[in-house]
Amino acid sequence: MKKFNVAVVGATGAVGQELLKILAERNFPVKSLKPLATQRSAGKQIPFGGNTYTVEATTAQAFDGVDIALFAGGSASKEFAIEAANRGAVVVDNSSAFRMDPKVPLVVPEVNPEDVKNHQGIIANPNCSTIQMVVALKPIHDAAKIKRVVVSTYQAVSGAGKEAIDELTEQVKELAEGKEVVPKVFPYQIAFNLIPHIDVFADMDYTKEEWKMVNETKKIMHDDSIQVTATTVRVPVYRSHSESVNIETERKITAEEAKKVLASAPGIIVLDDPREKKYPMPLFTSDRDEVFVGRIREDNSIENGLNMWVVADQLRKGAATNAVQIAELLIKYNCL
Amino acid sequence: MKKFNVAVVGATGAVGQELLKILAERNFPVKSLKPLATQRSAGKQIPFGGNTYTVEATTAQAFDGVDIALFAGGSASKEFAIEAANRGAVVVDNSSAFRMDPKVPLVVPEVNPEDVKNHQGIIANPNCSTIQMVVALKPIHDAAKIKRVVVSTYQAVSGAGKEAIDELTEQVKELAEGKEVVPKVFPYQIAFNLIPHIDVFADMDYTKEEWKMVNETKKIMHDDSIQVTATTVRVPVYRSHSESVNIETERKITAEEAKKVLASAPGIIVLDDPREKKYPMPLFTSDRDEVFVGRIREDNSIENGLNMWVVADQLRKGAATNAVQIAELLIKYNCL
């Protein structure tokens, strides 16, 4: 089997670490690995596939000879993604920088795999909250055509990076010791609290996170007629985003049918047996690649309504796993 | 001013304690106080208004001579509320036992105060999640007529009582010490987790908590045409329920207008200035009687859509404060 020179940009962060873990887990055909990060992290040792690699500072030259560059996100994407593509690497980018660029495919392998074929050097990985939602929406859309989605999110702190994870742990400890909590990563205390504010505020007082769910969904699903409104909320959970998703469809779909099409769709586990107290929860979906769907109910407040509860590990399926799956598609479709 | 003989049933529980606190805070005209509870709690000493009272076991006879009996909720309501009313007390009941009884008014003083006049001995206090929602819905309904509501809740553990509060604290401690967590009150670990399951499962796989929001809203608002669908979720927050509320109205209401009517409505504080990071959060709304509304945004996914984020202390406005307000209305309207 052909092997590839792979660069991971942001290798020391929360998503970068997941990327390395998932490349190894899925036996991605790595010829050489180049872990890149900021100057501050250069020189760090990183284990991968039984060997140890030294983190290098990200520079334009670092991408020479690289076949696939997986960008974990952050400012490195704007600075280096185009440069990496110009030097011949195919970039899979987890930042929001290129997602809405019409020249850049925005891909969720369970939804629009063929879009990778149209890449011009960069493929964008969608926002974490969007990925898990569209995986669950796709089979419903295929079966009954989605007109409108009302989504409220319950997003884990790890979506804001490693320091956010530490911040939750520290705040809980400080509160137990009766100490004052001084928020650093989040605008307010997140321990035992909720913050209805993710990313910055933008048009119409929606946050960028909320707009991502609106706009990226249309692009990934290739359907501008799908109407989406979102409210995104940070919750004191370490890992896995949860979403309460209300759907209006063109044609009626019963809860029974919805369960059936979801259960047979790729990348989804239906966990829905109320009598047995079976429903998805963030605690039990972390470190998993699937999107978990439960609480599937007809919504009789409109003619063709459906409610569901969607939970997935946003560092894996919402970021790293999706990126590696895209890289796998690039190999499968011979697009490197 | 005339004073009244008041009984508080369930005086030692989370809601009962709030009832006593609020009766004192609001200088309710108490002639005599009778704190009642289960046999197990009888004999306990409870402070109120500078004096100390001894908790008595709840019996039918205990209601003789009582003018107002505030029931905190639980099984005591079914057992003793009718008995108390038969003995001449007016019951304000926080349980779900009588809420949908057509002979029993279901009252939120900011929404349908006049309904107390129709009581036949029992007035029901609505479910906590419903109370804070209808307080926020009423001004919108008056201004633009609500057709449909899609609500997702983020409910604090104190909604499940004192033991639930302790359970969250203990679980956080056990996890910090690397110990195994064994859930007792909640079906699963609630620390750093979400449980999309409040009260028991019922028709169409909705929980009773979800049906309460559907049915109680129609009754309180006197409008069976208001369609509601709900998804209710327990979150690791101590106090104050939060709700992501999506509204479709008959007539267009802009975010600006919505803010204006909400700000001038009774019992509401609009906290909505995204640039200044001002929005309601459970941590900062606890121990308050008002319903806090923020993240007020037009929802362009439909013609007349509106999103808002509603947070309130569910032990106070969602239970005890609302009950005492009802008792105050009974005095005001001369209905005792």
Side-chain angles (χ1 to χ4, degrees), chain B residues 283-302:
Chain B
L283 196 61
F284 305 104
T285 54
S286 297
D287 276 312
R288 299 287 298 267
D289 284 320
E290 298 89 353
V291 173
F292 292 78
V293 187
R295 303 291 334 269
I296 301 160
R297 294 152 289 155
E298 274 155 70
D299 161 16
N300 287 341
S301 75
I302 42 171

Side-chain angles (χ1 to χ4, degrees), chain A residues 273-287:
Chain A
D273 190 350
R275 307 310 137 194
E276 298 293 322
K277 295 181 185 170
K278 281 192 183 161
Y279 29 73
M281 287 177 284
L283 197 62
F284 305 104
T285 54
S286 297
D287 276 314

Side-chain angles (χ1 to χ4, degrees), chain A residues 148 152-154 172 188 196-197 205-206 210 229 231 244 246 275 277 279 295 297-299 301 307, chain B residues 148 152-154 172 188 196-197 205-206 210 229 231 244 275 277 279 283 295 297-299 301 307:
Chain A
R148 180 181 180 229
S152 298
T153 70
Y154 303 63
V172 165
Y188 298 95
H197 170 189
D205 288 348
Y206 285 79
E210 289 157 354
T229 188
T231 298
S244 172
N246 178 271
R275 307 310 137 194
K277 295 181 185 170
Y279 29 73
R295 303 292 332 269
R297 294 152 289 155
E298 274 156 68
D299 160 17
S301 74
N307 280 310
Chain B
R148 181 183 180 228
S152 299
T153 70
Y154 304 63
V172 165
Y188 298 95
H197 171 189
D205 287 347
Y206 284 79
E210 289 158 353
T229 187
T231 299
S244 172
R275 307 311 136 192
K277 296 180 185 169
Y279 30 72
L283 196 61
R295 303 291 334 269
R297 294 152 289 155
E298 274 155 70
D299 161 16
S301 75
N307 280 311

Side-chain angles (χ1 to χ4, degrees), chain A residues 94-127:
Chain A
N94 196 45
S95 84
S96 62
F98 304 99
R99 285 181 194 150
M100 295 312 294
D101 184 330
K103 292 190 303 295
V104 174
L106 183 67
V107 177
V108 177
E110 290 84 352
V111 181
N112 59 336
E114 308 265 332
D115 284 2
V116 298
K117 294 177 183 170
N118 306 322
H119 83 79
Q120 296 173 35
I122 301 178
I123 296 171
N125 209 36
N127 172 48

Side-chain angles (χ1 to χ4, degrees), chain B residues 30-312:
Chain B
V30 176
K31 192 199 289 173
S32 75
L33 179 79
K34 194 176 268 189
L36 301 172
T38 56
Q39 185 61 55
R40 197 165 45 89
S41 295
K44 274 192 188 165
Q45 297 296 306
I46 275 187
F48 178 77
N51 294 313
T52 300
Y53 295 80
T54 304
V55 175
E56 296 174 34
T58 315
T59 60
Q61 296 73 27
F63 295 99
D64 286 332
V66 167
D67 301 308
I68 302 174
L70 302 171
F71 280 68
S75 59
S77 302
K78 271 191 183 150
E79 221 174 322
F80 294 108
I82 292 171
E83 193 61 50
N86 285 343
R87 288 173 189 251
V90 179
V91 170
V92 182
D93 178 36
N94 196 44
S95 85
S96 62
F98 304 99
R99 287 183 193 148
M100 296 312 295
D101 184 330
K103 293 190 301 297
V104 174
L106 182 67
V107 177
V108 177
E110 290 84 352
V111 180
N112 59 336
E114 307 266 332
D115 284 3
V116 299
K117 294 177 183 171
N118 307 323
H119 83 79
Q120 296 173 34
I122 301 177
I123 296 172
N125 210 36
N127 173 49
C128 48
S129 320
T130 311
I131 291 177
Q132 70 185 71
M133 183 169 76
V134 295
V135 168
L137 291 182
K138 183 60 164 53
I140 306 293
H141 190 54
D142 289 346
K145 196 169 191 316
I146 293 175
K147 286 170 69 176
R148 181 183 180 228
V149 174
V150 179
V151 57
S152 299
T153 70
Y154 304 63
Q155 297 185 224
V157 294
S158 49
K162 271 187 176 175
E163 286 129 32
I165 300 172
D166 296 340
E167 177 149 304
L168 175 55
T169 306
E170 278 161 30
Q171 288 184 353
V172 165
K173 194 162 166 274
E174 284 162 358
L175 290 166
E177 292 166 353
K179 288 186 190 156
E180 202 199 347
V181 164
V182 182
K184 286 179 285 273
V185 179
F186 296 112
Y188 298 95
Q189 176 184 320
I190 184 63
F192 311 114
N193 193 24
L194 308 168
I195 306 177
H197 171 189
I198 298 177
D199 205 332
V200 298
F201 282 98
D203 283 358
M204 293 178 64
D205 287 347
Y206 284 79
T207 60
K208 271 199 184 170
E209 183 79 2
E210 289 158 353
W211 281 120
K212 287 173 196 166
M213 297 190 81
V214 174
N215 297 323
E216 295 182 15
T217 298
K218 294 179 184 190
K219 180 168 176 176
I220 300 163
M221 306 273 280
H222 292 185
D223 192 339
D224 276 345
S225 76
I226 299 177
Q227 298 299 312
V228 180
T229 187
T231 299
T232 59
V233 181
R234 188 74 69 188
V235 299
V237 163
Y238 281 110
R239 196 161 164 156
S240 280
H241 288 353
S242 305
E243 300 176 347
S244 172
V245 183
N246 178 270
I247 304 168
E248 182 176 5
T249 54
E250 196 84 37
R251 295 180 290 281
K252 177 76 187 169
I253 183 165
T254 65
E256 217 43 61
E257 285 163 2
K259 282 177 205 174
K260 206 178 289 176
V261 298
L262 286 163
S264 62
I268 292 177
I269 291 180
V270 171
L271 201 63
D272 195 358
D273 190 349
R275 307 311 136 192
E276 298 293 320
K277 296 180 185 169
K278 282 191 181 160
Y279 30 72
M281 287 177 284
L283 196 61
F284 305 104
T285 54
S286 297
D287 276 312
R288 299 287 298 267
D289 284 320
E290 298 89 353
V291 173
F292 292 78
V293 187
R295 303 291 334 269
I296 301 160
R297 294 152 289 155
E298 274 155 70
D299 161 16
N300 287 341
S301 75
I302 42 171
E303 216 167 314
N304 301 330
L306 192 74
N307 280 311
M308 56 191 199
W309 174 250
V310 180
V311 186

